[in-house]
PDB file of all heavy atoms in Angstrom:
ATOM      1  N   PHE Q  10      -6.776   7.412   6.558  1.00 97.00           N
ATOM      2  CA  PHE Q  10      -6.871   8.047   7.872  1.00 97.00           C
ATOM      3  C   PHE Q  10      -7.553   9.413   7.809  1.00 97.00           C
ATOM      4  O   PHE Q  10      -8.167   9.843   8.790  1.00 97.00           O
ATOM      5  CB  PHE Q  10      -5.490   8.104   8.529  1.00 97.00           C
ATOM      6  CG  PHE Q  10      -5.039   6.762   9.017  1.00 97.00           C
ATOM      7  CD1 PHE Q  10      -4.193   5.972   8.244  1.00 97.00           C
ATOM      8  CD2 PHE Q  10      -5.503   6.252  10.219  1.00 97.00           C
ATOM      9  CE1 PHE Q  10      -3.817   4.711   8.671  1.00 97.00           C
ATOM     10  CE2 PHE Q  10      -5.136   4.988  10.658  1.00 97.00           C
ATOM     11  CZ  PHE Q  10      -4.289   4.218   9.881  1.00 97.00           C
ATOM     12  N   ARG Q  14     -10.705  10.237  10.181  1.00 97.00           N
ATOM     13  CA  ARG Q  14     -10.774  11.483  10.951  1.00 97.00           C
ATOM     14  C   ARG Q  14     -12.026  12.282  10.616  1.00 97.00           C
ATOM     15  O   ARG Q  14     -12.667  12.846  11.509  1.00 97.00           O
ATOM     16  CB  ARG Q  14      -9.519  12.329  10.698  1.00 97.00           C
ATOM     17  CG  ARG Q  14      -9.521  13.643  11.481  1.00 97.00           C
ATOM     18  CD  ARG Q  14      -8.168  14.343  11.401  1.00 97.00           C
ATOM     19  NE  ARG Q  14      -7.839  14.714  10.016  1.00 97.00           N
ATOM     20  CZ  ARG Q  14      -6.655  15.195   9.651  1.00 97.00           C
ATOM     21  NH1 ARG Q  14      -5.684  15.346  10.545  1.00 97.00           N
ATOM     22  NH2 ARG Q  14      -6.424  15.514   8.388  1.00 97.00           N
ATOM     23  N   PRO Q  20     -11.863  10.360  18.345  1.00 92.00           N
ATOM     24  CA  PRO Q  20     -12.184   8.997  18.784  1.00 92.00           C
ATOM     25  C   PRO Q  20     -11.763   8.762  20.227  1.00 92.00           C
ATOM     26  O   PRO Q  20     -10.777   9.324  20.698  1.00 92.00           O
ATOM     27  CB  PRO Q  20     -11.360   8.126  17.831  1.00 92.00           C
ATOM     28  CG  PRO Q  20     -10.180   8.977  17.490  1.00 92.00           C
ATOM     29  CD  PRO Q  20     -10.720  10.384  17.419  1.00 92.00           C
ATOM     30  N   ASN Q 123       0.849   0.697  26.228  1.00 94.00           N
ATOM     31  CA  ASN Q 123       0.590   1.535  25.056  1.00 94.00           C
ATOM     32  C   ASN Q 123      -0.770   2.219  25.132  1.00 94.00           C
ATOM     33  O   ASN Q 123      -0.913   3.388  24.764  1.00 94.00           O
ATOM     34  CB  ASN Q 123       0.672   0.697  23.776  1.00 94.00           C
ATOM     35  CG  ASN Q 123       2.098   0.493  23.297  1.00 94.00           C
ATOM     36  OD1 ASN Q 123       2.984   1.263  23.633  1.00 94.00           O
ATOM     37  ND2 ASN Q 123       2.318  -0.549  22.515  1.00 94.00           N
ATOM     38  N   LEU Q 126      -0.436   5.025  27.790  1.00 96.00           N
ATOM     39  CA  LEU Q 126       0.401   6.114  27.283  1.00 96.00           C
ATOM     40  C   LEU Q 126      -0.342   6.930  26.235  1.00 96.00           C
ATOM     41  O   LEU Q 126      -0.253   8.162  26.201  1.00 96.00           O
ATOM     42  CB  LEU Q 126       1.705   5.557  26.694  1.00 96.00           C
ATOM     43  CG  LEU Q 126       2.702   4.998  27.709  1.00 96.00           C
ATOM     44  CD1 LEU Q 126       3.828   4.247  26.987  1.00 96.00           C
ATOM     45  CD2 LEU Q 126       3.290   6.113  28.580  1.00 96.00           C
ATOM     46  N   ASN Q 127      -1.095   6.241  25.379  1.00 94.00           N
ATOM     47  CA  ASN Q 127      -1.827   6.929  24.317  1.00 94.00           C
ATOM     48  C   ASN Q 127      -3.053   7.665  24.846  1.00 94.00           C
ATOM     49  O   ASN Q 127      -3.243   8.862  24.601  1.00 94.00           O
ATOM     50  CB  ASN Q 127      -2.244   5.917  23.246  1.00 94.00           C
ATOM     51  CG  ASN Q 127      -3.085   6.534  22.150  1.00 94.00           C
ATOM     52  OD1 ASN Q 127      -4.312   6.474  22.183  1.00 94.00           O
ATOM     53  ND2 ASN Q 127      -2.435   7.136  21.172  1.00 94.00           N
ATOM     54  N   THR Q 128      -3.895   6.957  25.596  1.00 94.00           N
ATOM     55  CA  THR Q 128      -5.184   7.502  26.005  1.00 94.00           C
ATOM     56  C   THR Q 128      -5.069   8.498  27.150  1.00 94.00           C
ATOM     57  O   THR Q 128      -5.758   9.525  27.169  1.00 94.00           O
ATOM     58  CB  THR Q 128      -6.132   6.347  26.390  1.00 94.00           C
ATOM     59  OG1 THR Q 128      -6.229   5.432  25.288  1.00 94.00           O
ATOM     60  CG2 THR Q 128      -7.529   6.869  26.723  1.00 94.00           C
ATOM     61  N   GLY Q 131      -1.495  10.975  25.732  1.00 93.00           N
ATOM     62  CA  GLY Q 131      -1.391  11.494  24.370  1.00 93.00           C
ATOM     63  C   GLY Q 131      -0.152  11.099  23.599  1.00 93.00           C
ATOM     64  O   GLY Q 131       0.217  11.751  22.622  1.00 93.00           O
ATOM     65  N   HIS Q 132       0.491  10.009  24.000  1.00 94.00           N
ATOM     66  CA  HIS Q 132       1.661   9.549  23.256  1.00 94.00           C
ATOM     67  C   HIS Q 132       1.214   8.880  21.945  1.00 94.00           C
ATOM     68  O   HIS Q 132       0.169   8.214  21.911  1.00 94.00           O
ATOM     69  CB  HIS Q 132       2.445   8.517  24.073  1.00 94.00           C
ATOM     70  CG  HIS Q 132       3.131   9.092  25.267  1.00 94.00           C
ATOM     71  ND1 HIS Q 132       4.459   8.835  25.565  1.00 94.00           N
ATOM     72  CD2 HIS Q 132       2.709   9.925  26.252  1.00 94.00           C
ATOM     73  CE1 HIS Q 132       4.807   9.466  26.669  1.00 94.00           C
ATOM     74  NE2 HIS Q 132       3.746  10.130  27.110  1.00 94.00           N
ATOM     75  N   PRO Q 133       1.978   9.013  20.884  1.00 93.00           N
ATOM     76  CA  PRO Q 133       1.631   8.365  19.620  1.00 93.00           C
ATOM     77  C   PRO Q 133       2.021   6.890  19.616  1.00 93.00           C
ATOM     78  O   PRO Q 133       2.862   6.444  18.829  1.00 93.00           O
ATOM     79  CB  PRO Q 133       2.445   9.172  18.599  1.00 93.00           C
ATOM     80  CG  PRO Q 133       3.653   9.607  19.356  1.00 93.00           C
ATOM     81  CD  PRO Q 133       3.184   9.856  20.767  1.00 93.00           C
ATOM     82  N   THR Q 134       1.429   6.133  20.518  1.00 92.00           N
ATOM     83  CA  THR Q 134       1.727   4.702  20.613  1.00 92.00           C
ATOM     84  C   THR Q 134       0.635   3.895  19.921  1.00 92.00           C
ATOM     85  O   THR Q 134      -0.441   4.406  19.621  1.00 92.00           O
ATOM     86  CB  THR Q 134       1.813   4.255  22.083  1.00 92.00           C
ATOM     87  OG1 THR Q 134       0.571   4.574  22.731  1.00 92.00           O
ATOM     88  CG2 THR Q 134       2.951   4.941  22.798  1.00 92.00           C
ATOM     89  N   MET Q 135       0.915   2.621  19.683  1.00 93.00           N
ATOM     90  CA  MET Q 135      -0.024   1.765  18.971  1.00 93.00           C
ATOM     91  C   MET Q 135      -0.202   0.464  19.746  1.00 93.00           C
ATOM     92  O   MET Q 135       0.701  -0.382  19.771  1.00 93.00           O
ATOM     93  CB  MET Q 135       0.525   1.478  17.573  1.00 93.00           C
ATOM     94  CG  MET Q 135      -0.504   0.968  16.613  1.00 93.00           C
ATOM     95  SD  MET Q 135      -1.839   2.134  16.284  1.00 93.00           S
ATOM     96  CE  MET Q 135      -0.901   3.555  15.695  1.00 93.00           C
ATOM     97  N   ALA Q 136      -1.327   0.329  20.418  1.00 91.00           N
ATOM     98  CA  ALA Q 136      -1.620  -0.888  21.182  1.00 91.00           C
ATOM     99  C   ALA Q 136      -2.305  -1.881  20.254  1.00 91.00           C
ATOM    100  O   ALA Q 136      -3.493  -1.753  19.962  1.00 91.00           O
ATOM    101  CB  ALA Q 136      -2.507  -0.555  22.377  1.00 91.00           C
ATOM    102  N   ILE Q 141      -6.846  -4.596  15.692  1.00 96.00           N
ATOM    103  CA  ILE Q 141      -5.846  -3.835  14.939  1.00 96.00           C
ATOM    104  C   ILE Q 141      -4.946  -4.767  14.134  1.00 96.00           C
ATOM    105  O   ILE Q 141      -4.602  -4.471  12.982  1.00 96.00           O
ATOM    106  CB  ILE Q 141      -5.014  -2.941  15.887  1.00 96.00           C
ATOM    107  CG1 ILE Q 141      -5.904  -1.828  16.462  1.00 96.00           C
ATOM    108  CG2 ILE Q 141      -3.817  -2.341  15.157  1.00 96.00           C
ATOM    109  CD1 ILE Q 141      -5.181  -0.860  17.382  1.00 96.00           C
ATOM    110  N   ILE Q 150      -2.661  -2.080   5.321  1.00 96.00           N
ATOM    111  CA  ILE Q 150      -2.150  -0.795   5.830  1.00 96.00           C
ATOM    112  C   ILE Q 150      -0.764  -0.989   6.430  1.00 96.00           C
ATOM    113  O   ILE Q 150       0.147  -0.195   6.200  1.00 96.00           O
ATOM    114  CB  ILE Q 150      -3.109  -0.205   6.891  1.00 96.00           C
ATOM    115  CG1 ILE Q 150      -4.390   0.308   6.241  1.00 96.00           C
ATOM    116  CG2 ILE Q 150      -2.434   0.933   7.663  1.00 96.00           C
ATOM    117  CD1 ILE Q 150      -5.460   0.736   7.253  1.00 96.00           C
ATOM    118  N   VAL Q 159       3.548  -5.657  13.519  1.00 96.00           N
ATOM    119  CA  VAL Q 159       2.465  -4.776  13.087  1.00 96.00           C
ATOM    120  C   VAL Q 159       2.565  -3.422  13.789  1.00 96.00           C
ATOM    121  O   VAL Q 159       2.383  -2.365  13.175  1.00 96.00           O
ATOM    122  CB  VAL Q 159       1.085  -5.431  13.343  1.00 96.00           C
ATOM    123  CG1 VAL Q 159      -0.047  -4.426  13.172  1.00 96.00           C
ATOM    124  CG2 VAL Q 159       0.883  -6.614  12.396  1.00 96.00           C
ATOM    125  N   GLU Q 160       2.858  -3.450  15.092  1.00 95.00           N
ATOM    126  CA  GLU Q 160       3.010  -2.198  15.835  1.00 95.00           C
ATOM    127  C   GLU Q 160       4.083  -1.315  15.199  1.00 95.00           C
ATOM    128  O   GLU Q 160       3.867  -0.111  14.964  1.00 95.00           O
ATOM    129  CB  GLU Q 160       3.383  -2.489  17.288  1.00 95.00           C
ATOM    130  CG  GLU Q 160       3.608  -1.226  18.120  1.00 95.00           C
ATOM    131  CD  GLU Q 160       4.107  -1.520  19.527  1.00 95.00           C
ATOM    132  OE1 GLU Q 160       3.809  -2.610  20.054  1.00 95.00           O
ATOM    133  OE2 GLU Q 160       4.793  -0.649  20.099  1.00 95.00           O
ATOM    134  N   LYS Q 161       5.235  -1.899  14.902  1.00 96.00           N
ATOM    135  CA  LYS Q 161       6.329  -1.136  14.305  1.00 96.00           C
ATOM    136  C   LYS Q 161       5.968  -0.633  12.911  1.00 96.00           C
ATOM    137  O   LYS Q 161       6.316   0.495  12.534  1.00 96.00           O
ATOM    138  CB  LYS Q 161       7.593  -2.000  14.257  1.00 96.00           C
ATOM    139  CG  LYS Q 161       8.197  -2.269  15.628  1.00 96.00           C
ATOM    140  CD  LYS Q 161       9.452  -3.123  15.521  1.00 96.00           C
ATOM    141  CE  LYS Q 161      10.104  -3.310  16.894  1.00 96.00           C
ATOM    142  NZ  LYS Q 161      11.311  -4.170  16.828  1.00 96.00           N
ATOM    143  N   ALA Q 162       5.257  -1.459  12.145  1.00 97.00           N
ATOM    144  CA  ALA Q 162       4.854  -1.053  10.792  1.00 97.00           C
ATOM    145  C   ALA Q 162       3.863   0.110  10.838  1.00 97.00           C
ATOM    146  O   ALA Q 162       3.958   1.050  10.046  1.00 97.00           O
ATOM    147  CB  ALA Q 162       4.255  -2.245  10.045  1.00 97.00           C
ATOM    148  N   LEU Q 163       2.916   0.041  11.769  1.00 96.00           N
ATOM    149  CA  LEU Q 163       1.941   1.124  11.902  1.00 96.00           C
ATOM    150  C   LEU Q 163       2.628   2.433  12.268  1.00 96.00           C
ATOM    151  O   LEU Q 163       2.330   3.491  11.700  1.00 96.00           O
ATOM    152  CB  LEU Q 163       0.895   0.764  12.959  1.00 96.00           C
ATOM    153  CG  LEU Q 163      -0.120  -0.302  12.550  1.00 96.00           C
ATOM    154  CD1 LEU Q 163      -0.905  -0.797  13.772  1.00 96.00           C
ATOM    155  CD2 LEU Q 163      -1.082   0.230  11.492  1.00 96.00           C
ATOM    156  N   LEU Q 164       3.552   2.370  13.215  1.00 95.00           N
ATOM    157  CA  LEU Q 164       4.267   3.572  13.630  1.00 95.00           C
ATOM    158  C   LEU Q 164       5.117   4.134  12.487  1.00 95.00           C
ATOM    159  O   LEU Q 164       5.320   5.348  12.385  1.00 95.00           O
ATOM    160  CB  LEU Q 164       5.142   3.278  14.847  1.00 95.00           C
ATOM    161  CG  LEU Q 164       4.379   2.972  16.148  1.00 95.00           C
ATOM    162  CD1 LEU Q 164       5.347   2.518  17.234  1.00 95.00           C
ATOM    163  CD2 LEU Q 164       3.589   4.190  16.624  1.00 95.00           C
ATOM    164  N   LYS Q 165       5.566   3.252  11.623  1.00 96.00           N
ATOM    165  CA  LYS Q 165       6.398   3.682  10.484  1.00 96.00           C
ATOM    166  C   LYS Q 165       5.550   4.261   9.347  1.00 96.00           C
ATOM    167  O   LYS Q 165       5.925   5.275   8.745  1.00 96.00           O
ATOM    168  CB  LYS Q 165       7.206   2.481   9.975  1.00 96.00           C
ATOM    169  CG  LYS Q 165       8.051   2.775   8.740  1.00 96.00           C
ATOM    170  CD  LYS Q 165       8.801   1.523   8.279  1.00 96.00           C
ATOM    171  CE  LYS Q 165       9.615   1.808   7.010  1.00 96.00           C
ATOM    172  NZ  LYS Q 165      10.334   0.582   6.546  1.00 96.00           N
ATOM    173  N   PHE Q 166       4.423   3.630   9.070  1.00 96.00           N
ATOM    174  CA  PHE Q 166       3.673   3.962   7.858  1.00 96.00           C
ATOM    175  C   PHE Q 166       2.537   4.974   8.042  1.00 96.00           C
ATOM    176  O   PHE Q 166       2.155   5.647   7.087  1.00 96.00           O
ATOM    177  CB  PHE Q 166       3.094   2.685   7.230  1.00 96.00           C
ATOM    178  CG  PHE Q 166       4.131   1.758   6.670  1.00 96.00           C
ATOM    179  CD1 PHE Q 166       4.078   0.398   6.941  1.00 96.00           C
ATOM    180  CD2 PHE Q 166       5.154   2.241   5.866  1.00 96.00           C
ATOM    181  CE1 PHE Q 166       5.039  -0.461   6.418  1.00 96.00           C
ATOM    182  CE2 PHE Q 166       6.116   1.387   5.341  1.00 96.00           C
ATOM    183  CZ  PHE Q 166       6.057   0.036   5.618  1.00 96.00           C
ATOM    184  N   ILE Q 167       1.965   5.074   9.242  1.00 95.00           N
ATOM    185  CA  ILE Q 167       0.861   6.016   9.428  1.00 95.00           C
ATOM    186  C   ILE Q 167       1.406   7.439   9.453  1.00 95.00           C
ATOM    187  O   ILE Q 167       2.348   7.726  10.201  1.00 95.00           O
ATOM    188  CB  ILE Q 167       0.090   5.717  10.736  1.00 95.00           C
ATOM    189  CG1 ILE Q 167      -0.606   4.355  10.648  1.00 95.00           C
ATOM    190  CG2 ILE Q 167      -0.952   6.796  11.016  1.00 95.00           C
ATOM    191  CD1 ILE Q 167      -1.257   3.925  11.954  1.00 95.00           C
ATOM    192  N   PRO Q 168       0.837   8.339   8.663  1.00 94.00           N
ATOM    193  CA  PRO Q 168       1.301   9.727   8.683  1.00 94.00           C
ATOM    194  C   PRO Q 168       1.228  10.314  10.090  1.00 94.00           C
ATOM    195  O   PRO Q 168       0.282  10.055  10.839  1.00 94.00           O
ATOM    196  CB  PRO Q 168       0.332  10.433   7.733  1.00 94.00           C
ATOM    197  CG  PRO Q 168      -0.139   9.354   6.800  1.00 94.00           C
ATOM    198  CD  PRO Q 168      -0.211   8.118   7.642  1.00 94.00           C
ATOM    199  N   GLU Q 169       2.233  11.090  10.441  1.00 92.00           N
ATOM    200  CA  GLU Q 169       2.386  11.582  11.807  1.00 92.00           C
ATOM    201  C   GLU Q 169       1.156  12.312  12.331  1.00 92.00           C
ATOM    202  O   GLU Q 169       0.807  12.204  13.503  1.00 92.00           O
ATOM    203  CB  GLU Q 169       3.611  12.497  11.894  1.00 92.00           C
ATOM    204  CG  GLU Q 169       3.960  12.931  13.304  1.00 92.00           C
ATOM    205  CD  GLU Q 169       5.236  13.735  13.364  1.00 92.00           C
ATOM    206  OE1 GLU Q 169       5.919  13.861  12.319  1.00 92.00           O
ATOM    207  OE2 GLU Q 169       5.568  14.241  14.455  1.00 92.00           O
ATOM    208  N   GLU Q 170       0.477  13.050  11.460  1.00 95.00           N
ATOM    209  CA  GLU Q 170      -0.678  13.838  11.910  1.00 95.00           C
ATOM    210  C   GLU Q 170      -1.818  12.972  12.443  1.00 95.00           C
ATOM    211  O   GLU Q 170      -2.694  13.454  13.162  1.00 95.00           O
ATOM    212  CB  GLU Q 170      -1.200  14.718  10.776  1.00 95.00           C
ATOM    213  CG  GLU Q 170      -1.775  13.938   9.599  1.00 95.00           C
ATOM    214  CD  GLU Q 170      -2.220  14.835   8.458  1.00 95.00           C
ATOM    215  OE1 GLU Q 170      -3.254  15.518   8.618  1.00 95.00           O
ATOM    216  OE2 GLU Q 170      -1.553  14.837   7.402  1.00 95.00           O
ATOM    217  N   PHE Q 171      -1.805  11.689  12.104  1.00 96.00           N
ATOM    218  CA  PHE Q 171      -2.897  10.790  12.513  1.00 96.00           C
ATOM    219  C   PHE Q 171      -2.508   9.856  13.657  1.00 96.00           C
ATOM    220  O   PHE Q 171      -3.356   9.122  14.170  1.00 96.00           O
ATOM    221  CB  PHE Q 171      -3.350   9.931  11.328  1.00 96.00           C
ATOM    222  CG  PHE Q 171      -3.796  10.713  10.127  1.00 96.00           C
ATOM    223  CD1 PHE Q 171      -3.083  10.650   8.937  1.00 96.00           C
ATOM    224  CD2 PHE Q 171      -4.931  11.510  10.168  1.00 96.00           C
ATOM    225  CE1 PHE Q 171      -3.488  11.355   7.820  1.00 96.00           C
ATOM    226  CE2 PHE Q 171      -5.351  12.221   9.058  1.00 96.00           C
ATOM    227  CZ  PHE Q 171      -4.620  12.147   7.880  1.00 96.00           C
ATOM    228  N   LEU Q 172      -1.244   9.854  14.045  1.00 94.00           N
ATOM    229  CA  LEU Q 172      -0.740   8.798  14.935  1.00 94.00           C
ATOM    230  C   LEU Q 172      -1.427   8.747  16.296  1.00 94.00           C
ATOM    231  O   LEU Q 172      -1.705   7.665  16.806  1.00 94.00           O
ATOM    232  CB  LEU Q 172       0.768   8.947  15.137  1.00 94.00           C
ATOM    233  CG  LEU Q 172       1.649   8.155  14.168  1.00 94.00           C
ATOM    234  CD1 LEU Q 172       3.116   8.427  14.440  1.00 94.00           C
ATOM    235  CD2 LEU Q 172       1.353   6.664  14.250  1.00 94.00           C
ATOM    236  N   VAL Q 173      -1.704   9.885  16.901  1.00 93.00           N
ATOM    237  CA  VAL Q 173      -2.271   9.870  18.254  1.00 93.00           C
ATOM    238  C   VAL Q 173      -3.643   9.205  18.276  1.00 93.00           C
ATOM    239  O   VAL Q 173      -3.977   8.471  19.212  1.00 93.00           O
ATOM    240  CB  VAL Q 173      -2.348  11.300  18.838  1.00 93.00           C
ATOM    241  CG1 VAL Q 173      -3.153  11.306  20.137  1.00 93.00           C
ATOM    242  CG2 VAL Q 173      -0.945  11.831  19.100  1.00 93.00           C
ATOM    243  N   ASP Q 174      -4.447   9.418  17.232  1.00 94.00           N
ATOM    244  CA  ASP Q 174      -5.809   8.869  17.214  1.00 94.00           C
ATOM    245  C   ASP Q 174      -5.936   7.553  16.452  1.00 94.00           C
ATOM    246  O   ASP Q 174      -6.989   6.906  16.503  1.00 94.00           O
ATOM    247  CB  ASP Q 174      -6.778   9.889  16.595  1.00 94.00           C
ATOM    248  CG  ASP Q 174      -6.995  11.098  17.487  1.00 94.00           C
ATOM    249  OD1 ASP Q 174      -7.038  10.922  18.722  1.00 94.00           O
ATOM    250  OD2 ASP Q 174      -7.127  12.216  16.960  1.00 94.00           O
ATOM    251  N   ALA Q 175      -4.895   7.155  15.734  1.00 95.00           N
ATOM    252  CA  ALA Q 175      -4.993   5.982  14.850  1.00 95.00           C
ATOM    253  C   ALA Q 175      -5.363   4.707  15.601  1.00 95.00           C
ATOM    254  O   ALA Q 175      -6.125   3.867  15.102  1.00 95.00           O
ATOM    255  CB  ALA Q 175      -3.669   5.787  14.110  1.00 95.00           C
ATOM    256  N   HIS Q 176      -4.837   4.552  16.808  1.00 92.00           N
ATOM    257  CA  HIS Q 176      -5.136   3.371  17.620  1.00 92.00           C
ATOM    258  C   HIS Q 176      -6.641   3.192  17.796  1.00 92.00           C
ATOM    259  O   HIS Q 176      -7.203   2.110  17.593  1.00 92.00           O
ATOM    260  CB  HIS Q 176      -4.423   3.529  18.971  1.00 92.00           C
ATOM    261  CG  HIS Q 176      -4.942   2.671  20.063  1.00 92.00           C
ATOM    262  ND1 HIS Q 176      -5.637   3.157  21.139  1.00 92.00           N
ATOM    263  CD2 HIS Q 176      -4.870   1.334  20.251  1.00 92.00           C
ATOM    264  CE1 HIS Q 176      -5.969   2.164  21.942  1.00 92.00           C
ATOM    265  NE2 HIS Q 176      -5.523   1.054  21.439  1.00 92.00           N
ATOM    266  N   HIS Q 177      -7.342   4.270  18.141  1.00 93.00           N
ATOM    267  CA  HIS Q 177      -8.790   4.183  18.361  1.00 93.00           C
ATOM    268  C   HIS Q 177      -9.549   3.955  17.055  1.00 93.00           C
ATOM    269  O   HIS Q 177     -10.485   3.156  17.009  1.00 93.00           O
ATOM    270  CB  HIS Q 177      -9.300   5.451  19.047  1.00 93.00           C
ATOM    271  CG  HIS Q 177      -8.777   5.639  20.435  1.00 93.00           C
ATOM    272  ND1 HIS Q 177      -8.896   4.680  21.411  1.00 93.00           N
ATOM    273  CD2 HIS Q 177      -8.114   6.674  21.009  1.00 93.00           C
ATOM    274  CE1 HIS Q 177      -8.335   5.116  22.534  1.00 93.00           C
ATOM    275  NE2 HIS Q 177      -7.863   6.321  22.318  1.00 93.00           N
ATOM    276  N   TRP Q 178      -9.158   4.640  15.994  1.00 96.00           N
ATOM    277  CA  TRP Q 178      -9.852   4.445  14.719  1.00 96.00           C
ATOM    278  C   TRP Q 178      -9.764   2.999  14.253  1.00 96.00           C
ATOM    279  O   TRP Q 178     -10.756   2.420  13.803  1.00 96.00           O
ATOM    280  CB  TRP Q 178      -9.241   5.353  13.644  1.00 96.00           C
ATOM    281  CG  TRP Q 178      -9.608   6.805  13.770  1.00 96.00           C
ATOM    282  CD1 TRP Q 178     -10.818   7.330  14.152  1.00 96.00           C
ATOM    283  CD2 TRP Q 178      -8.747   7.925  13.519  1.00 96.00           C
ATOM    284  NE1 TRP Q 178     -10.748   8.704  14.150  1.00 96.00           N
ATOM    285  CE2 TRP Q 178      -9.499   9.102  13.772  1.00 96.00           C
ATOM    286  CE3 TRP Q 178      -7.419   8.053  13.113  1.00 96.00           C
ATOM    287  CZ2 TRP Q 178      -8.960  10.382  13.609  1.00 96.00           C
ATOM    288  CZ3 TRP Q 178      -6.887   9.310  12.949  1.00 96.00           C
ATOM    289  CH2 TRP Q 178      -7.649  10.466  13.203  1.00 96.00           C
ATOM    290  N   LEU Q 179      -8.576   2.417  14.361  1.00 97.00           N
ATOM    291  CA  LEU Q 179      -8.393   1.049  13.877  1.00 97.00           C
ATOM    292  C   LEU Q 179      -9.148   0.041  14.728  1.00 97.00           C
ATOM    293  O   LEU Q 179      -9.730  -0.919  14.196  1.00 97.00           O
ATOM    294  CB  LEU Q 179      -6.899   0.710  13.839  1.00 97.00           C
ATOM    295  CG  LEU Q 179      -6.085   1.451  12.774  1.00 97.00           C
ATOM    296  CD1 LEU Q 179      -4.595   1.233  12.983  1.00 97.00           C
ATOM    297  CD2 LEU Q 179      -6.501   1.011  11.372  1.00 97.00           C
TER     298      LEU Q 179
END
Side-chain angles (χ1 to χ4, degrees):
F10 286 97
R14 180 170 63 188
N123 278 338
L126 289 170
N127 176 264
T128 304
H132 291 228
T134 57
M135 197 63 57
I141 292 182
I150 288 172
V159 168
E160 178 185 333
K161 290 180 176 178
L163 287 167
L164 292 173
K165 177 181 178 181
F166 292 134
I167 294 174
E169 187 175 354
E170 65 183 288
F171 303 115
L172 268 178
V173 170
D174 290 323
H176 161 250
H177 294 306
W178 285 322
L179 291 170

